[in-house]
Amino acid sequence: MGAVLVGAALCLATACDDYDDSALWEAVNGLEERVAALEQWQKETNNNIAALQELLTTNDMITAVTPVLMGEDTVGYTISFLNSDPITIYNGEKGEAGDMPQIGLTQDDAGDWYWTLNGELMRDADGNPIRANGEDGKDGQDGEDGEDGEDGATGPTGPQGKPGNNAPTPQIKLGKDVTGTIADDDTAVDDAWYLSVDGGKTWYRVSGKDGNDGSAGDDGDSFFTNPPKVDYDKGTVTFYIDGGSFEVPLHIDYIIENGGSSYSVYNADGLRVWADEVKNNASLNCTLAADIDLRGKEWTPIQGYTGTFDGGGKTITGLTINQPTETTDERNLGLFATITEGGTVKNLTLVDVEIHGQTIMGAVAGLNYGSIENCSVTGNVKSSISNYWYAGGIVGENRGDI
């Protein structure tokens, strides 16, 4: 027996001609690749869980939602906030059966969200389902009824319970990365998956005993619907995920709609972006989705407008134009220098207008060949016009409809 063992050792050491170790190296390389892939999945899954929980509980406002593309496919979204750092949520990739625990969300009738594991409610050590959007405090007990008398009164209602703490963030790890207590076992299996719902103190095995025959589905984790869907509305972003949908407040400069032909504008920065684009496309439509404050921001009048500007019943406050030198392009002064035939401005109120320049001036338009409907000018209106031809409140010179 000793001679056989020595012979085998010598054969490995001298790379005997009749020994082929390619299968061994392929197995080693395959294991390394698999572990690397599992570690990447672990990282993305934990990031997804934390990011989605933040999205469900945030009091911040979204400023942008950018699809993450792989080729032509949307595989997730990067979500930017007004005050917080951006988060990215990936949609998950198809995993091998039993190899990847499937983490998801489900919504109850009250509108609250709960984490799921392999299609079942994820539960804490006490068996309670784990909320993804915080936990409510328990109601206080009712006070005891007052003693009956001729006009006995009911005792006061007991105080309400304190608000619940934020829900715990579930964590997924490979056994080789686990520290802490392993429930129902002494040691962790390196390539098995473990779940903690108490901040990493206790870990529960959630893949099969051999790491490959668990009950997990074969679709990996998939948070968004397939295909992914996100809707913008005036004031909210709606995310659609497996099990329901939820809304987050929207703070955004503008939204491009109708195949790029229209802008919905939410603030002064959005209005400026639209005005810059109008220089290249005079028919670009615009709708105000909120009141606009232009105080402290000088405005350059829009030339030759042919689209539809719908104020939506909103106001623009503090329009200020300061162009004292007459040029061919700048002699018509107003929010619009010139509204040309086919152009329309409607449903708009201008408040506190100040214009300094020459020739033709009006708060909405210097010169109108198009249509001005349901527009008004209020508040302080200041003007300093030299060498003027025409000046008016809403329009300086009108050759269209008003």
Side-chain angles (χ1 to χ4, degrees):
M1 179 64 70
V4 172
L5 288 174
V6 171
L10 287 173
C11 189
L12 287 171
T14 59
C16 301
D17 293 339
D18 60 349
Y19 181 76
D20 182 3
D21 64 355
S22 59
L24 175 62
W25 285 112
E26 286 178 4
V28 171
N29 291 335
L31 178 60
E32 290 177 348
E33 291 174 0
R34 179 174 182 274
V35 170
L38 293 177
E39 288 176 336
Q40 180 64 25
W41 185 87
Q42 170 185 300
K43 178 181 177 181
E44 290 185 1
T45 297
N46 286 319
N47 286 344
N48 277 352
I49 290 171
L52 195 52
Q53 189 165 38
E54 180 178 347
L55 189 60
L56 285 167
T57 59
T58 185
N59 292 319
D60 208 340
M61 301 180 74
I62 288 177
T63 58
V65 179
T66 306
V68 178
L69 300 178
M70 183 176 292
E72 297 181 354
D73 297 327
T74 298
V75 297
Y77 294 96
T78 296
I79 301 159
S80 301
F81 296 94
L82 183 61
N83 300 308
S84 309
D85 293 334
I87 60 175
T88 298
I89 302 177
Y90 292 94
N91 204 36
E93 297 180 358
K94 190 177 178 68
E96 297 177 6
D99 200 30
M100 306 294 191
Q102 188 174 14
I103 309 297
L105 289 163
T106 187
Q107 191 175 29
D108 68 6
D109 293 339
D112 292 316
W113 291 91
Y114 292 84
W115 292 109
T116 62
L117 172 66
N118 302 332
E120 302 292 333
L121 284 172
M122 194 182 295
R123 298 181 182 274
D124 62 21
D126 297 325
N128 300 312
I130 298 175
R131 283 268 293 276
N133 60 324
E135 295 177 343
D136 293 333
K138 295 180 180 179
D139 291 341
Q141 295 181 349
D142 290 341
E144 296 180 359
D145 290 345
E147 295 182 1
D148 289 338
E150 184 174 347
D151 293 310
T154 301
T157 301
Q160 293 295 299
K162 295 180 180 180
N165 298 323
N166 287 335
T169 302
Q171 299 177 54
I172 288 284
K173 281 190 177 181
L174 283 167
K176 70 181 189 64
D177 299 318
V178 166
T179 58
T181 302
I182 308 299
D184 303 325
D185 207 346
D186 293 329
T187 59
V189 177
D190 283 356
D191 63 348
W193 289 109
Y194 291 81
L195 169 72
S196 175
V197 293
D198 60 2
K201 298 177 183 177
T202 309
W203 295 88
Y204 300 87
R205 186 168 176 171
V206 293
S207 64
K209 287 299 181 182
D210 62 359
N212 292 308
D213 62 355
S215 60
D218 62 356
D219 292 325
D221 65 317
S222 180
F223 290 123
F224 296 109
T225 56
N226 187 18
K229 181 182 179 183
V230 173
D231 279 345
Y232 294 92
D233 195 3
K234 292 181 175 65
T236 60
V237 183
T238 302
F239 294 89
Y240 295 87
I241 60 178
D242 287 342
S245 64
F246 62 94
E247 295 180 347
V248 180
L250 175 68
H251 175 96
I252 202 163
D253 297 338
Y254 62 92
I255 296 174
I256 301 175
E257 300 174 317
N258 301 322
S261 65
S262 301
Y263 276 56
S264 287
V265 169
Y266 289 80
N267 54 34
D269 290 335
L271 189 64
R272 287 183 179 278
V273 171
W274 167 80
D276 286 340
E277 292 299 319
V278 168
K279 295 175 183 177
N280 301 316
N281 179 5
S283 65
L284 195 60
N285 301 322
C286 180
T287 300
L288 299 188
D291 294 334
I292 307 296
D293 188 349
L294 289 179
R295 285 174 292 190
K297 301 177 175 67
E298 268 195 33
W299 181 257
T300 300
I302 295 170
Q303 304 287 335
Y305 186 61
T306 61
T308 296
F309 185 96
D310 187 351
K314 308 297 185 182
T315 63
I316 294 178
T317 300
L319 174 68
T320 303
I321 300 170
N322 185 19
Q323 296 182 357
T325 303
E326 178 185 353
T327 68
T328 302
D329 293 333
E330 296 173 350
R331 67 183 184 181
N332 302 325
L333 304 180
L335 181 67
F336 295 85
T338 307
I339 303 172
T340 60
E341 187 174 354
T344 299
V345 179
K346 61 183 180 180
N347 306 324
L348 175 65
T349 298
L350 291 164
V351 179
D352 297 342
V353 176
E354 186 171 347
I355 300 177
H356 302 282
Q358 299 189 35
T359 64
I360 302 175
M361 181 277 288
V364 174
L367 177 61
N368 174 46
Y369 287 96
S371 177
I372 299 175
E373 307 169 8
N374 193 29
C375 293
S376 61
V377 182
T378 65
N380 295 319
V381 179
K382 298 179 182 180
S383 64
S384 175
I385 306 296
S386 60
N387 300 326
Y388 66 87
W389 298 348
Y390 303 98
I394 293 177
V395 62
E397 180 180 359
N398 181 51
R399 300 185 181 183
D401 298 323
I402 189 171

